[in-house]
Amino acid sequence: MEEKEFHVCMKRMRAGEQSALREIYEAYIGYIYSVVFQIVRNKEDAEDVTSEFFIKLWKLADTYQSRKGHRAWLAAIARNMAIDLLRKKKHEIYVEDFTDSAQGNAAADSVEEEVLSDMSLKEVLDTLKPAEREIVNLKILGELTFQEISDILKQPMGTVTWRYQNAMKKLRRCGYE
Amino acid sequence: MSKQLEKEYRSLMKEDAPDLWDRIEAGLEPKQRPVHKTGFWKKYRTWGAVAAACVCLMLAVPVMQRQMAGGGNNAFDSAPPEEENMSGAAENGVSSDAALWDADRNMTNEATGIPGELQEESGGQAASCTMTVKVLDVSETESAYTVQIEETDCGELSYGEQITLYDERIPDVRLEKGETYQLTVTVQKEDNGMARYLLEEIDSE
């Protein structure tokens, strides 16, 4: 969805048109669900947060100001909502924690390399570390720049690009160039 | 990154995403559609303006017709002279109707600068003149005198003409038969067109 198209939808939502929200939903349900899921790591919670996100977007339309980079804006809202849910549930897995916790050992990596070529995309993506997966999500689905991803994740841009490159290496091994 | 990867990734994410629309739709609060006040007020403002214009016309037209019927005289123009006279009389410490009458008469004469100008009095028009007369006869009641004009600024009288003077305005005055007096006289036109001469003041004998 283009910036202008999104802006028009938000204006229509402000006027009470649910069909405009439906259009945004159709365009971004996969993106938002993916962003949320990477944080909550739980299907039910991801569904709850994603639903709440679109309901919140409906309300936000009343005060929405036209801006560039609506995908980054949407991702930031969705991500914050997911983190809020984690805090409410008193999860001890903070965003930084689960990025580190997924760092496997060297042995696992070598096994991984052997089987990667026979894996589907979904299976390959599942082998990505959560932090890598999140960046890939924002990059591919959100079409965000590294700077935007860096701003959303509150991580240095070098870290973001390095993690993204690692993810791409794994995908290339599976034949995705 | 290849386009193939992007495409597959997007379709994969879309497939993975659950259908949450029903849940979302159930959670949406209906928005109060903004009332188009501008349209509402625009409509009523127009009709209001039309109504106001009609009321103004209804009020203005009769007034204008009344003024035009009255020869174009402005109702506001007729009152002030009397008010000015009244205030002038009050300044001079003079009250009563006589003072007002004098003030009115003086003002009118001053305004025109013409002695003997016709003035409104009860029963007809009146003019004030000065004249020198010789008393020819005195009535039995001593309230009327037959006089002969020797000199006057009253246009309708001429030398040698005889008129009857009435002293009802200054009844205490007595003119002697055969004497000559300089007088101020008011010439009052009666409704039948006859002139009636009223003695106002004896200027000198």
Side-chain angles (χ1 to χ4, degrees):
Chain A
M1 184 177 275
E2 298 298 322
E3 295 286 353
K4 195 174 178 182
E5 200 179 346
F6 180 79
H7 178 62
V8 170
C9 281
M10 292 299 277
K11 278 182 80 174
R12 285 168 55 205
M13 282 163 61
R14 194 184 306 167
E17 283 188 42
Q18 288 189 7
S19 60
L21 179 66
R22 177 79 195 211
E23 286 177 33
I24 293 174
Y25 168 84
E26 295 288 352
Y28 292 122
I29 176 65
Y31 171 49
I32 298 300
Y33 180 79
S34 176
V35 167
V36 172
F37 186 83
Q38 294 308 313
I39 295 169
V40 297
R41 311 296 294 174
N42 174 293
K43 193 183 173 188
E44 285 182 5
D45 287 345
E47 289 181 0
D48 288 344
V49 173
T50 304
S51 300
E52 287 300 318
F53 167 84
F54 283 103
I55 292 168
K56 186 173 185 176
L57 189 65
W58 173 255
K59 292 174 185 171
L60 284 173
D62 295 340
T63 54
Y64 174 76
Q65 299 289 324
S66 181
R67 72 190 75 207
K68 284 184 179 177
H70 71 275
R71 291 187 192 90
W73 180 63
L74 294 176
I77 294 170
R79 198 167 182 279
N80 288 336
M81 289 176 74
I83 292 169
D84 284 346
L85 181 76
L86 284 182
R87 286 176 180 158
K88 278 180 192 171
K89 288 195 162 190
K90 298 183 179 178
H91 276 245
E92 292 184 354
I93 306 169
Y94 288 98
V95 178
E96 291 301 325
D97 291 342
F98 71 72
T99 59
D100 296 332
S101 65
Q103 290 173 355
N105 53 42
D109 286 348
S110 61
V111 173
E112 185 182 54
E113 282 182 20
E114 288 174 11
V115 295
L116 274 176
S117 56
D118 298 327
M119 294 168 74
S120 67
L121 177 60
K122 187 175 182 181
E123 289 168 330
V124 176
L125 289 172
D126 286 342
T127 66
L128 296 180
K129 296 170 186 173
E132 292 170 348
R133 180 71 184 270
E134 191 173 26
I135 292 168
V136 170
N137 263 340
L138 295 172
K139 187 68 183 169
I140 298 177
L141 297 182
E143 298 175 12
L144 305 185
T145 63
F146 287 120
Q147 183 61 57
E148 286 174 322
I149 295 169
S150 168
D151 292 340
I152 291 170
L153 301 180
K154 297 182 178 63
Q155 293 173 4
M157 198 159 76
T159 307
V160 171
T161 53
W162 182 76
R163 283 177 175 160
Y164 180 75
Q165 294 302 328
N166 277 348
M168 288 300 105
K169 276 180 194 172
K170 290 176 186 173
L171 290 172
R172 279 191 204 106
R173 279 181 229 150
C174 300
Y176 295 100
E177 292 293 334
Chain B
M1 186 189 305
S2 70
K3 293 288 175 188
Q4 181 66 20
L5 174 62
E6 282 184 29
K7 195 176 175 183
E8 282 192 38
Y9 192 90
R10 285 202 182 97
S11 62
L12 181 65
M13 290 302 108
K14 205 161 189 176
E15 284 169 19
D16 278 358
D19 184 5
L20 302 171
W21 180 249
D22 290 341
R23 285 173 64 177
I24 293 165
E25 197 173 27
L28 296 180
E29 292 174 3
K31 291 192 178 181
Q32 291 180 340
R33 287 176 182 266
V35 179
H36 295 287
K37 287 183 179 178
T38 51
F40 176 83
W41 285 113
K42 207 179 230 179
K43 182 181 172 184
Y44 281 87
R45 189 173 55 195
T46 306
W47 286 110
V50 170
C54 289
V55 170
C56 286
L57 273 174
M58 287 169 65
L59 292 173
V61 167
V63 172
M64 288 173 67
Q65 283 178 338
R66 212 176 301 148
Q67 285 192 339
M68 290 177 76
N73 291 335
N74 191 329
F76 296 107
D77 293 342
S78 56
E82 260 186 67
E83 288 176 6
E84 285 171 16
N85 291 336
M86 288 174 74
S87 62
E91 281 172 12
N92 294 332
V94 182
S95 58
S96 81
D97 292 342
L100 292 175
W101 186 87
D102 287 340
D104 186 33
R105 187 181 64 173
N106 293 338
M107 205 293 296
T108 307
N109 289 340
E110 283 166 16
T112 57
I114 303 171
E117 186 194 7
L118 290 174
Q119 296 178 55
E120 285 285 338
E121 272 195 8
S122 60
Q125 293 180 323
S128 184
C129 307
T130 56
M131 58 180 68
T132 304
V133 297
K134 183 177 182 180
V135 179
L136 301 178
D137 195 13
V138 179
S139 70
E140 291 180 1
T141 58
E142 296 181 342
S143 59
Y145 305 89
T146 303
V147 298
Q148 186 177 31
I149 305 294
E150 292 190 345
E151 193 179 347
T152 182
D153 61 1
C154 191
E156 62 189 20
L157 298 174
S158 56
Y159 176 79
E161 197 172 342
Q162 291 184 11
I163 60 171
T164 302
L165 270 179
Y166 298 93
D167 67 352
E168 58 196 46
R169 288 193 171 171
I170 45 174
D172 297 338
V173 170
R174 180 176 172 78
L175 301 180
E176 296 295 331
K177 186 178 177 182
E179 295 293 325
T180 301
Y181 299 91
Q182 190 174 352
L183 310 171
T184 299
V185 175
T186 295
V187 184
Q188 186 175 347
K189 294 283 185 184
E190 298 294 330
D191 292 337
N192 58 9
M194 298 294 288
R196 182 177 166 84
Y197 300 96
L198 303 174
L199 180 59
E200 292 289 343
E201 193 177 355
I202 300 172
D203 300 326
S204 63
E205 288 187 17

Coordinates of all heavy atoms in Angstrom, one line a residue, chain B residues 23-58:
Chain B
R23 N -12.9 -10.8 14.8 CA -12.6 -10.3 16.1 C -12.4 -8.8 16.1 O -12.8 -8.1 17.0 CB -11.3 -11.0 16.6 CG -11.5 -12.4 17.0 CD -10.2 -13.1 17.4 NE -9.5 -12.4 18.5 CZ -8.4 -12.9 19.0 NH1 -7.8 -14.0 18.5 NH2 -7.8 -12.3 20.1
I24 N -11.7 -8.4 15.1 CA -11.4 -6.9 15.0 C -12.7 -6.1 14.8 O -12.9 -5.2 15.5 CB -10.4 -6.7 13.8 CG1 -9.1 -7.3 14.1 CG2 -10.3 -5.2 13.6 CD1 -8.1 -7.4 12.9
E25 N -13.5 -6.6 13.9 CA -14.8 -5.9 13.6 C -15.7 -5.8 14.8 O -16.3 -4.8 15.0 CB -15.5 -6.6 12.4 CG -16.6 -5.8 11.8 CD -17.1 -6.4 10.5 OE1 -17.1 -7.7 10.5 OE2 -17.6 -5.7 9.7
A26 N -15.7 -6.9 15.6 CA -16.5 -6.9 16.8 C -16.0 -5.9 17.8 O -16.8 -5.4 18.7 CB -16.5 -8.3 17.4
G27 N -14.7 -5.7 17.8 CA -14.1 -4.7 18.8 C -14.1 -3.3 18.4 O -13.8 -2.4 19.2
L28 N -14.6 -3.0 17.2 CA -14.6 -1.6 16.7 C -15.8 -0.8 17.3 O -16.9 -1.3 17.3 CB -14.7 -1.5 15.2 CG -13.5 -2.1 14.4 CD1 -13.8 -2.0 12.9 CD2 -12.2 -1.5 14.8
E29 N -15.4 0.3 17.9 CA -16.5 1.2 18.4 C -17.0 2.0 17.2 O -16.2 2.6 16.5 CB -15.9 2.1 19.5 CG -15.6 1.3 20.7 CD -14.9 2.3 21.7 OE1 -14.8 3.5 21.4 OE2 -14.4 1.7 22.8
P30 N -18.3 2.1 17.1 CA -18.9 2.9 16.0 C -18.5 4.4 16.2 O -18.6 4.9 17.4 CB -20.4 2.7 16.1 CG -20.6 2.2 17.5 CD -19.4 1.5 17.9
K31 N -18.1 5.0 15.2 CA -17.6 6.4 15.3 C -18.8 7.3 15.1 O -19.7 7.0 14.2 CB -16.5 6.7 14.3 CG -15.2 6.0 14.7 CD -14.1 6.5 13.8 CE -12.8 5.8 14.3 NZ -11.7 6.3 13.6
Q32 N -18.9 8.3 15.8 CA -19.9 9.3 15.6 C -19.5 10.1 14.4 O -18.5 10.9 14.4 CB -20.1 10.2 16.8 CG -20.6 9.5 18.0 CD -20.8 10.4 19.2 OE1 -20.2 11.5 19.3 NE2 -21.6 10.0 20.1
R33 N -20.3 10.0 13.4 CA -19.9 10.7 12.1 C -20.1 12.2 12.4 O -21.1 12.6 13.0 CB -20.9 10.3 11.0 CG -20.5 8.9 10.5 CD -21.6 8.5 9.4 NE -21.3 7.2 8.9 CZ -20.5 7.0 7.8 NH1 -20.0 8.0 7.2 NH2 -20.3 5.7 7.4
P34 N -19.1 13.0 12.0 CA -19.2 14.4 12.3 C -20.4 15.0 11.6 O -20.6 14.7 10.4 CB -17.9 15.0 11.7 CG -17.4 13.9 10.7 CD -17.9 12.6 11.3
V35 N -21.1 15.8 12.3 CA -22.3 16.5 11.7 C -21.7 17.6 10.9 O -20.8 18.4 11.3 CB -23.2 17.1 12.9 CG1 -24.3 17.8 12.3 CG2 -23.6 16.0 13.8
H36 N -22.2 17.7 9.7 CA -21.7 18.7 8.8 C -22.4 20.1 9.1 O -23.3 20.5 8.5 CB -22.0 18.3 7.3 CG -21.3 17.1 6.9 ND1 -19.9 17.1 6.7 CD2 -21.7 15.9 6.7 CE1 -19.5 15.9 6.3 NE2 -20.6 15.1 6.4
K37 N -21.8 20.7 10.1 CA -22.3 21.9 10.6 C -22.3 23.0 9.6 O -23.2 23.8 9.5 CB -21.6 22.4 11.9 CG -21.8 21.6 13.1 CD -21.1 22.1 14.3 CE -21.4 21.3 15.5 NZ -20.7 21.8 16.7
T38 N -21.2 22.9 8.8 CA -21.1 24.0 7.8 C -22.3 24.0 6.8 O -22.9 25.0 6.5 CB -19.8 23.8 7.0 OG1 -19.8 22.5 6.5 CG2 -18.6 24.1 7.8
G39 N -22.7 22.7 6.4 CA -23.8 22.6 5.5 C -25.1 23.1 6.2 O -25.9 23.9 5.6
F40 N -25.3 22.7 7.4 CA -26.5 23.0 8.2 C -26.6 24.6 8.3 O -27.6 25.2 8.0 CB -26.4 22.4 9.5 CG -27.5 22.8 10.5 CD1 -28.7 22.1 10.4 CD2 -27.3 23.8 11.4 CE1 -29.7 22.4 11.3 CE2 -28.4 24.1 12.3 CZ -29.6 23.4 12.2
W41 N -25.5 25.2 8.8 CA -25.5 26.6 9.0 C -25.5 27.4 7.7 O -26.1 28.5 7.7 CB -24.3 27.0 9.8 CG -24.5 26.6 11.3 CD1 -23.8 25.7 12.0 CD2 -25.5 27.1 12.2 NE1 -24.2 25.5 13.2 CE2 -25.3 26.4 13.4 CE3 -26.5 28.0 12.1 CZ2 -26.1 26.6 14.5 CZ3 -27.3 28.2 13.2 CH2 -27.1 27.5 14.4
K42 N -24.9 26.8 6.7 CA -25.0 27.5 5.4 C -26.4 27.6 4.9 O -26.9 28.7 4.5 CB -24.2 26.6 4.4 CG -23.6 27.5 3.3 CD -22.8 26.5 2.4 CE -21.4 27.1 2.1 NZ -20.6 26.3 1.3
K43 N -27.1 26.5 5.1 CA -28.5 26.5 4.7 C -29.3 27.5 5.4 O -30.0 28.3 4.9 CB -29.1 25.1 4.9 CG -30.5 24.9 4.4 CD -30.9 23.5 4.7 CE -32.4 23.3 4.5 NZ -32.8 21.9 4.8
Y44 N -29.2 27.4 6.8 CA -30.0 28.3 7.6 C -29.6 29.8 7.6 O -30.3 30.7 7.7 CB -30.1 27.8 9.0 CG -31.1 26.6 9.1 CD1 -30.7 25.3 8.9 CD2 -32.4 26.9 9.4 CE1 -31.6 24.3 8.9 CE2 -33.3 25.9 9.5 CZ -32.9 24.6 9.3 OH -33.8 23.5 9.3
R45 N -28.3 30.0 7.3 CA -27.7 31.3 7.2 C -28.4 32.0 6.0 O -28.8 33.2 6.1 CB -26.2 31.3 7.1 CG -25.6 32.6 7.3 CD -24.1 32.5 7.3 NE -23.5 31.8 6.2 CZ -22.3 31.3 6.1 NH1 -21.5 31.4 7.1 NH2 -21.9 30.6 5.1
T46 N -28.5 31.3 4.9 CA -29.0 31.9 3.7 C -30.5 32.3 3.9 O -30.9 33.4 3.6 CB -28.9 30.8 2.6 OG1 -27.6 30.4 2.5 CG2 -29.4 31.5 1.3
W47 N -31.2 31.3 4.5 CA -32.6 31.6 4.7 C -32.8 32.7 5.8 O -33.7 33.5 5.7 CB -33.4 30.3 5.2 CG -33.6 29.4 4.0 CD1 -33.0 28.2 3.8 CD2 -34.5 29.7 2.9 NE1 -33.5 27.7 2.6 CE2 -34.3 28.5 2.0 CE3 -35.3 30.7 2.5 CZ2 -35.0 28.4 0.8 CZ3 -36.0 30.6 1.3 CH2 -35.9 29.5 0.5
G48 N -32.0 32.7 6.8 CA -32.0 33.8 7.8 C -31.7 35.1 7.2 O -32.4 36.1 7.5
A49 N -30.8 35.2 6.3 CA -30.5 36.5 5.7 C -31.6 37.0 4.8 O -32.0 38.2 4.8 CB -29.2 36.3 4.8
V50 N -32.3 36.0 4.1 CA -33.4 36.4 3.3 C -34.5 36.9 4.2 O -35.2 37.9 3.9 CB -33.9 35.2 2.5 CG1 -35.2 35.5 1.8 CG2 -32.8 34.8 1.4
A51 N -34.8 36.2 5.3 CA -35.9 36.6 6.2 C -35.6 38.0 6.8 O -36.4 38.9 6.9 CB -36.0 35.6 7.3
A52 N -34.3 38.3 7.2 CA -33.9 39.5 7.7 C -34.1 40.7 6.7 O -34.6 41.8 7.0 CB -32.5 39.5 8.2
A53 N -33.7 40.4 5.5 CA -33.9 41.4 4.4 C -35.4 41.7 4.2 O -35.7 42.9 4.0 CB -33.3 40.9 3.1
C54 N -36.2 40.7 4.3 CA -37.7 40.9 4.1 C -38.2 41.8 5.2 O -39.0 42.8 5.0 CB -38.4 39.6 4.1 SG -38.1 38.7 2.5
V55 N -37.8 41.5 6.4 CA -38.2 42.3 7.6 C -37.8 43.8 7.4 O -38.5 44.7 7.7 CB -37.7 41.7 8.9 CG1 -38.0 42.7 10.1 CG2 -38.4 40.4 9.2
C56 N -36.5 44.0 7.0 CA -36.0 45.3 6.8 C -36.8 46.1 5.8 O -37.1 47.2 5.9 CB -34.5 45.3 6.4 SG -33.4 44.8 7.8
L57 N -37.1 45.4 4.7 CA -37.9 46.0 3.6 C -39.3 46.4 4.1 O -39.8 47.5 3.9 CB -38.1 45.1 2.4 CG -36.9 45.1 1.4 CD1 -37.1 44.0 0.4 CD2 -36.9 46.5 0.7
M58 N -39.9 45.4 4.9 CA -41.3 45.7 5.4 C -41.3 46.9 6.3 O -42.2 47.7 6.4 CB -41.8 44.5 6.2 CG -42.2 43.3 5.2 SD -42.5 41.8 6.1 CE -43.9 42.3 7.1

